[in-house]
Amino acid sequence: MKRVDVIVLGAGAAGMFAAIEAGRRGRRVLVVDHAAAAGEKIRISGGGRCNFTNTGFGVERFLGKNPRFALSALRRFTAQDFIARVDAAGIAWHEKTLGQLFCDGSAKQIVDMLLGDMARRGVELWLGCTLGAVRQAAGGGFEVETGRGVVGAASVIVATGGKSIPKMGATGYGYQVAAAFGLPVTETRPALVPLTFAEQELDWMRPLAGVAVQGRVSRGKTGFDEALLFTHRGLSGPAVLQISSYWREGEAIRVDLAPGLDVAAFLRAEKQAAGRAALRTALGKLLPEKLARLIEAQAGATGGPMAEVGRAVLDRVAAQVSGWELRPVGSEGYRTAEVTLGGVDTEALDGRTMEAKGVPGLYFVGEVVDVTGWLGGYNFQWAWSSGWVAGQVA
Ligand code: FDA
């Protein structure tokens, strides 16, 4: 039987980072993944440029049963620490918006950096290798069934991610390992995912497919000022992906298409200044033309001069522009979700090390844990930070 000090299950962001750190300490490390290549989600992330971290920090940027759980790891290995690694590897990067850092070149540079660091630390990598049961060995440590036979290890780091994008190899494997050791797993659901609408809504939405607009999308007190995008199935774009992590079935979301603007006052002023112009022309100063036309039609305005549009109609239009209530019926699900909300219950883990309470030597890192970040690099930072802390002790 092959024996190592640390076996890492999953060669994604969190697993590779944990392996590098354990290897740095002189541990014999083996990483096993059923995919044909390591770090596939890194490779496709950020539109191929990998939004590898975010300079922002705050407990409100993470969701889960106990968002504070993430803070210990995030403070010990910070965005600045990861940036230092990227700089040392000579990878050029830029800030796009809202603290989001992307590679200037390709996401593959991040994968290559991690693979290079693993090789330098002597980490062994088995790709295209299945994983089976994990059990405690009679003489201490663990035994892990793999497609290449049983592997004995003093420590096991579970880094098999969540359920998002099964086509890319995502499985619920990590949750099964947790359950096999009696560790609780919170309810999982797709997050950072486009929202879908019922047919009657899609009837008017479909013609808008491809239209993007800046706005504020909110659910209760939580809101995001970013772009939203109409699609053939409903709504997408950063603001909608963000709110999808908070939205629940049956609820409405609120879309403000002109945040900070008194739209009623704006429309009245337009009517006075250019009464011969159509309402959609005034709206077109705030919104893409197709959307302006739709809102004009939905308000029952005839398309004639604004001077003929009554105050009640203007107020109705203003209310729609500033507080459009839309009721999604679902989401596109794990097929397109960027992350999985929920996972291994943080109550069962030590936040300083990611070790399972009551199962010494068993660690869970990255997305498999019930810690989910906002869009914008927070999920990779969680993968680096949680992988790093486990790698210091496993
Ligand atoms: P990850 O999913 O990366 O790795 C898990 C590994 O385990 C995979 O290699 C998988 O093959 C393997 N595995 C799973 N089940 C297995 C089994 N049964 N047997 C063997 N191996 C198994 N985040 C961000 O911060 N910035 C960004 O730009 C993006 N962009 C982005 C785009 C898209 C399209 C997606 C889907 C996601 C993102 N994300 C993101 C989210 C980010 O990719 C995600 O949070 C991290 O990849 C999670 O890292 P992990 O290592 O935990 O899991």
Side-chain angles (χ1 to χ4, degrees):
M1 183 170 71
K2 183 177 178 71
R3 287 188 186 281
V4 292
D5 295 322
V6 181
I7 183 167
V8 180
L9 313 183
M16 289 202 276
F17 217 62
I20 291 163
E21 290 306 306
R24 194 189 294 282
R25 291 169 38 240
R27 304 285 275 163
R28 274 176 308 143
V29 184
L30 169 66
V31 182
V32 181
D33 199 298
H34 63 178
E40 279 295 87
K41 277 198 186 159
I42 303 175
R43 191 178 55 76
I44 62 150
S45 68
R49 291 223 156 87
C50 186
N51 177 194
F52 55 81
T53 192
N54 194 301
T55 54
F57 182 82
V59 69
E60 76 286 355
R61 284 144 210 247
F62 290 89
L63 294 87
K65 199 166 125 184
N66 173 18
R68 301 198 70 77
F69 172 87
L71 293 179
S72 170
L74 290 166
R75 283 196 180 114
R76 289 183 61 207
F77 189 84
T78 65
Q80 294 308 324
D81 292 327
F82 191 76
I83 294 166
R85 299 275 175 111
V86 171
D87 285 341
I91 300 172
W93 52 269
H94 61 279
E95 180 178 336
K96 203 166 165 189
T97 172
L98 304 168
Q100 302 169 4
L101 306 190
F102 287 77
C103 298
D104 286 357
S106 148
K108 204 170 160 295
Q109 293 175 287
I110 300 287
V111 180
D112 290 343
M113 172 184 93
L114 299 171
L115 286 172
D117 280 350
M118 275 166 51
R120 269 187 291 283
R121 309 293 167 203
V123 173
E124 199 177 344
L125 175 61
W126 289 359
L127 292 170
C129 182
T130 54
L131 288 167
V134 179
R135 53 183 171 264
Q136 274 168 315
F142 298 84
E143 284 175 2
V144 180
E145 286 175 11
T146 81
R148 298 196 204 169
V150 175
V151 177
S155 300
V156 176
I157 301 180
V158 182
T160 44
K163 294 186 199 168
S164 28
I165 323 227
K167 242 172 135 178
M168 295 192 66
T171 65
Y173 175 82
Y175 311 132
Q176 290 160 22
V177 175
F181 284 91
L183 305 171
V185 177
T186 65
E187 189 197 340
T188 55
R189 58 181 282 129
L192 298 182
V193 63
L195 295 174
T196 54
F197 287 80
E199 262 317 304
Q200 72 197 62
E201 234 80 52
L202 288 177
D203 277 348
W204 61 259
M205 269 188 183
R206 273 200 197 99
L208 295 175
V211 170
V213 58
Q214 204 63 28
R216 178 173 179 80
V217 179
S218 48
R219 177 251 189 198
K221 287 196 178 113
T222 309
F224 295 91
D225 290 289
E226 281 183 75
L228 61 143
L229 171 73
F230 289 87
T231 73
H232 288 282
R233 286 181 290 271
L235 286 174
S236 186
V240 172
L241 298 185
Q242 295 278 37
I243 213 67
S244 74
S245 301
Y246 295 85
W247 174 82
R248 291 296 177 272
E249 282 73 9
E251 293 178 351
I253 56 169
R254 203 179 145 89
V255 179
D256 182 348
L257 294 165
L261 182 74
D262 181 342
V263 179
F266 167 81
L267 290 177
R268 282 198 293 273
E270 285 290 312
K271 181 175 168 176
Q272 252 193 344
R276 296 230 296 261
L279 173 56
R280 63 171 175 273
T281 309
L283 285 173
K285 293 184 179 175
L286 307 175
L287 307 171
E289 193 206 332
K290 274 190 183 173
L291 195 51
R293 276 178 186 276
L294 175 97
I295 290 176
E296 180 187 56
Q298 283 192 344
T302 58
M306 245 185 131
E308 292 168 15
V309 180
R311 188 174 174 138
V313 173
L314 284 193
D315 285 350
R316 209 158 56 231
V317 168
Q320 180 165 0
V321 172
S322 315
W324 205 356
E325 289 238 328
L326 293 167
R327 203 169 286 275
V329 288
S331 80
E332 289 190 6
Y334 290 117
R335 188 178 62 80
T336 62
E338 283 201 10
V339 286
T340 303
L341 205 62
V344 178
D345 194 328
T346 51
E347 252 174 47
L349 304 176
D350 181 337
R352 288 163 306 176
T353 59
M354 305 305 292
E355 190 171 27
K357 289 176 185 166
V359 193
L362 180 64
Y363 302 79
F364 291 84
V365 297
E367 197 180 323
V368 72
V369 179
D370 177 22
V371 171
T372 303
W374 278 1
L375 188 79
Y378 294 100
N379 286 298
F380 276 137
Q381 186 58 44
W382 168 244
W384 316 133
S385 297
S386 58
W388 188 90
V389 296
Q392 306 311 307
V393 288

